[in-house]
Amino acid sequence: MTTPFEVGLLMTGVLLVLVILGVRVAFAAAFTGLVGLIVLFSLKMGFSKGFFVALQMAGTIPHSKSVTYALSVLPTFILIGFLAFYAGFTKQLFEAAKRWLGWLPGGMAVGTVFSTAGFAAVSGASVATAAVFARVAIPEMLAAGYSKRLSAAVVAAGGTLASLIPPSAILVIYAILVEQSVGKLLIAGFLPGVFSALIYVGIIVGVSAWRGDAPPVGGFTWKERFESVPGTLPIIAVVAIIFCSFFFGLATPTEAGSLGAFVVLVVAFMKGMRTKQLGQALHETAKLTVMIFTLIWGVLVYVRFLGFAGLPDAFRDFIVALDYSPWVVMVCILLAYAVLGMFMDAIGMLILTLPVVYPAVMALNGGEGVSAADSAFGMSGEACSIWFGILVVKMAELCLITPPIGLNCFVVSGVRPDIPVQEVFRGCVPFFIADVLTIAGLLAFPSIITLLPTMMG
């Protein structure tokens, strides 16, 4: 007789085939989850009754999960990014970074990294950040004598910082899936995001000084530099609001996101944004929000099926029983994410894998309630959950600039058809190395991730 575990393995294989064939993750997961539930319940109570029980269960998931208060933070964070884009804040941010940092070797590329990091702090979407700065930064870098390869790669890599620097949509989704504090996860991404940006800057300065294909840009007076600062204040204000709200517990993530969107909206209208641009921002926000919610709904049907099939428990027991160091197992898990990320988008990858992988990682550390002294990784259960979340999201960032998917590279090439996607991928090789160094640093020094959440109490 077929066991639930065998059904789980079979339907997981079907899901992978559908994804490889190009079926959207949301629909592939919903289909395999529903069929799997029908098969499992039919084995227990017969087809006629099992079919309707499975349909009823799958039908309740979208409503029960979408009314979760924590999910309401997503549209507010997305709205902040689109309002900032249509208000023209990105150009002002890049101009300020260029005036202050252009004198360095590869100075405009360095400025692009910091300006993408600044926009990431109000956007939370890597692809959107890459698309925006492909229009803003690449033309100016090319005009300054930068190579196409470096110009495109800097934008593609800099865009990935939006996955870590709060507010990050993907970190919100992780927090909801593993039932951890959204505020602590978002705060935990701040220092790793800065750490990653600094390593990018180091790589740019070193490569530019060696190759000589990214000359410094000078000629700006101190007066011109200080004149560029006011244009960055709205973004600084939003970052301060969100960071302080989370860190000091002044507001919930949704309240902080709403306040941040209000501030950007007011400043945008003061700077001349019209109702047409507002309508476009609202429309884009609605489209992206619906896409994310559809993905969540579809995958959660599959996740419910996995629970009944017993795959998470089986994988957890398998991982814990391995006769290897927990650190070796953790590195292997991250390498598996690197491979999987070559073929799937980041959000879909995390939603599909976390229900199985997360319990295994927590068990590897000693369990949800383990103390730091008794744990395998030297941290409590809550700290391990946050640490693993940042590591996984950083792996998702890495996959945004690696072939064959490398979504950010395709976005940059799409915005700039004169730069072939192969050139963007080649240019991203130093940034791939930078990301590997960042992940190694976060593994070796977990306190980079856990320091700020620990201070929140």
Side-chain angles (χ1 to χ4, degrees):
M1 181 178 177
T2 304
T3 64
F5 180 75
E6 291 171 340
V7 174
L9 288 179
L10 174 63
M11 296 313 299
T12 299
V14 172
L15 171 62
L16 292 175
V17 170
L18 290 175
V19 171
I20 291 172
L21 291 176
V23 179
R24 297 282 184 180
V25 172
F27 303 121
F31 172 76
T32 53
L34 176 59
V35 172
L37 287 172
I38 291 172
V39 172
L40 289 181
F41 285 115
S42 296
L43 290 174
K44 290 183 179 179
M45 55 187 71
F47 178 76
S48 58
K49 187 175 181 180
F51 178 80
F52 288 104
V53 170
L55 281 182
Q56 186 178 34
M57 178 175 291
T60 62
I61 290 174
H63 175 265
S64 63
K65 296 300 180 181
S66 61
V67 297
T68 303
Y69 177 72
L71 276 176
S72 62
V73 70
L74 286 175
T76 63
F77 283 174
I78 294 169
L79 178 59
I80 291 174
F82 281 114
L83 285 174
F85 167 62
Y86 283 106
F89 291 166
T90 51
K91 292 182 180 179
Q92 296 168 332
L93 196 63
F94 177 73
E95 184 62 28
K98 180 179 71 174
R99 294 186 184 185
W100 283 92
L101 300 169
W103 59 272
L104 290 167
M108 287 186 69
V110 172
T112 300
V113 168
F114 280 114
S115 53
T116 53
F119 185 69
V122 296
S123 169
S126 296
V127 173
T129 303
V132 168
F133 280 90
R135 295 182 177 94
V136 173
I138 290 179
E140 295 217 26
M141 283 190 279
L142 294 179
Y146 284 41
S147 67
K148 288 184 177 181
R149 180 181 296 185
L150 176 61
S151 302
V154 166
V155 171
T160 67
L161 296 174
S163 295
L164 277 183
I165 297 176
S168 164
I170 195 170
L171 278 177
V172 172
I173 293 171
Y174 175 88
I176 293 168
L177 287 174
V178 304
E179 299 180 350
Q180 289 293 334
S181 166
V182 173
K184 287 189 175 182
L185 256 300
L186 290 172
I187 285 295
F190 184 77
L191 289 182
V194 173
F195 179 57
S196 184
L198 291 176
I199 291 182
Y200 279 173
V201 168
I203 290 286
I204 291 169
V205 172
V207 170
S208 299
W210 173 48
R211 291 181 180 172
D213 61 348
V217 177
F220 295 109
T221 65
W222 284 103
K223 180 182 178 182
E224 290 173 325
R225 288 172 177 165
F226 282 109
E227 284 175 346
S228 68
V229 172
T232 67
L233 293 180
I235 290 180
I236 294 174
V238 172
V239 173
I241 289 170
I242 293 174
F243 185 89
C244 293
S245 297
F246 293 163
F247 192 76
F248 298 108
L250 302 176
T252 66
T254 301
E255 292 167 348
S258 301
L259 183 56
F262 176 74
V263 170
V264 173
L265 178 63
V266 170
V267 176
F269 274 120
M270 290 174 59
K271 288 183 173 293
M273 188 178 80
R274 298 290 181 256
T275 53
K276 179 182 179 180
Q277 284 79 31
L278 174 61
Q280 289 173 323
L282 292 173
H283 181 66
E284 294 295 333
T285 299
K287 286 201 304 183
L288 185 54
T289 301
V290 169
M291 184 199 76
I292 293 175
F293 271 65
T294 301
L295 184 58
I296 292 173
W297 294 338
V299 172
L300 285 178
V301 174
Y302 172 73
V303 169
R304 183 67 59 88
F305 156 68
L306 285 182
F308 280 101
L311 257 67
D313 292 339
F315 186 73
R316 179 197 61 204
D317 295 341
F318 169 75
I319 289 295
V320 173
L322 289 174
D323 190 23
Y324 296 101
S325 162
W327 288 98
V328 173
V329 176
M330 174 62 77
V331 171
C332 290
I333 289 173
L334 294 179
L335 289 175
Y337 269 110
V339 174
L340 189 60
M342 293 180 181
F343 305 97
M344 295 182 64
D345 66 277
I347 294 178
M349 176 179 68
L350 293 192
I351 295 178
L352 279 177
T353 58
L354 283 176
V356 175
V357 176
Y358 176 76
V361 171
M362 297 307 292
L364 198 63
N365 187 52
E368 296 274 356
V370 70
S371 66
D374 299 326
S375 65
F377 298 122
M379 62 190 81
S380 66
E382 181 186 45
C384 181
S385 175
I386 294 172
W387 176 63
F388 178 64
I390 300 299
L391 286 173
V392 169
V393 169
K394 185 59 190 176
M395 291 304 302
E397 284 188 6
L398 178 67
C399 297
L400 288 171
I401 57 173
T402 54
I405 299 299
L407 193 55
N408 274 20
C409 296
F410 281 98
V411 167
V412 171
S413 181
V415 175
R416 297 284 311 196
D418 58 313
I419 306 177
V421 70
Q422 294 87 350
E423 278 293 289
V424 186
F425 278 126
R426 291 190 187 100
C428 283
V429 170
F431 298 100
F432 174 85
I433 296 171
D435 280 343
V436 171
L437 293 175
T438 300
I439 293 165
L442 297 179
L443 280 169
F445 305 101
S447 58
I448 297 174
I449 297 172
T450 59
L451 177 63
L452 291 181
T454 303
M455 294 172 64
M456 292 172 66

